[in-house]
Every structure is written in structure tokens, then in C-alpha cells.
Amino acid sequence: QVQVVESGGGLVQAGGSLRLSCITSVRISSINAMSWYRQAPGKQRELVATIFSGGKTDYLDSVKGRFTISRDNAKNTMYLQMNSLKPEDTAVYYCFANYYSLGSYSDSWGQGTQVTVSS
């Protein structure tokens, strides 16, 4: 099973930046798609950004132009660069991987990393 581990969360003031990292246990190039989700207190988990194996990316409307998802195949690591952070970006951010193995697709989730944006 593919394992993913996030890092890089923390406390930042509104308007600041953070970069989240997610390292995988296998070659990231072998993963179908990787995403960042977030969950704020009392809210449902939402999809923030996705990067597909071919390099295509997709974003939640509220983060377009502020967040950038990317990956470094050599380091087996996915990133989420978050700029112009807002208090409403406060949440636990989770790394997600969808991969193909033994004839079927499976999912893996990280443990989450807290991002807190103060006003």
C-alpha cells in the first residue's frame, strides 16, 4: 500500500505563505493522481487541489490564483504552495493519493497537518 506523509503546516498571519509537502512511499510517477484536501472545524472535508499523472492540475475556486500544486518526481514529493493566505484557509490539510495496484485502484490518506491563519 502506498503511504503518504504530510509536513509543513503551521501558524501564519493573513497574507502570508506556507508550503506543504507530501512524501510518498513509492515513485510518485506511478501514482494516478494526488490531491490536497482540507477540513475546517465543523465543516466537511473539501478538495483543494489535484495533480494528475500527466501533469494537469485542478483547483478549488476559492484558492485559484493563490495556491499552486506541484510535484518533484525525483524526490517523490508533492507540494502545495499557499500564498495570500486568509483566515478561512484555516484547516487540517490532508494529502491523498489514488493509485493502481494489483488490478484495482486504491486510495491512501496522510495523517493531516494543521494550517492556522490569524487575522
Side-chain angles (χ1 to χ4, degrees):
Q1 181 178 356
V2 173
Q3 295 181 331
V4 294
V5 179
E6 312 95 332
S7 62
L11 173 64
V12 64
Q13 288 188 334
S17 298
L18 280 176
R19 188 177 77 160
L20 305 183
S21 300
C22 174
I23 190 165
T24 67
S25 60
V26 299
R27 289 182 298 114
I28 199 170
S29 57
S30 69
I31 296 175
N32 178 51
M34 293 190 71
S35 301
W36 290 98
Y37 283 76
R38 68 186 182 188
Q39 187 167 19
K43 295 187 177 181
Q44 289 188 330
R45 190 171 295 190
E46 64 179 355
L47 177 60
V48 176
T50 298
I51 185 164
F52 297 93
S53 57
K56 179 183 176 182
T57 58
D58 196 22
Y59 296 92
L60 180 69
D61 283 347
S62 62
V63 308
K64 285 181 180 177
R66 300 189 298 121
F67 290 10
T68 303
I69 189 171
S70 63
R71 67 178 185 222
D72 185 331
N73 288 356
K75 295 182 179 180
N76 292 327
T77 302
M78 176 182 67
Y79 303 99
L80 185 67
Q81 178 65 46
M82 304 185 294
N83 299 327
S84 302
L85 282 161
K86 304 175 181 180
E88 51 264 42
D89 294 318
T90 295
V92 177
Y93 284 71
Y94 296 91
C95 177
F96 168 86
N98 175 261
Y99 60 96
Y100 188 79
S101 178
L102 301 178
S104 64
Y105 286 96
S106 298
D107 300 330
S108 283
W109 290 91
Q111 80 286 355
T113 186
Q114 177 71 47
V115 172
T116 302
V117 184
S118 62
S119 57

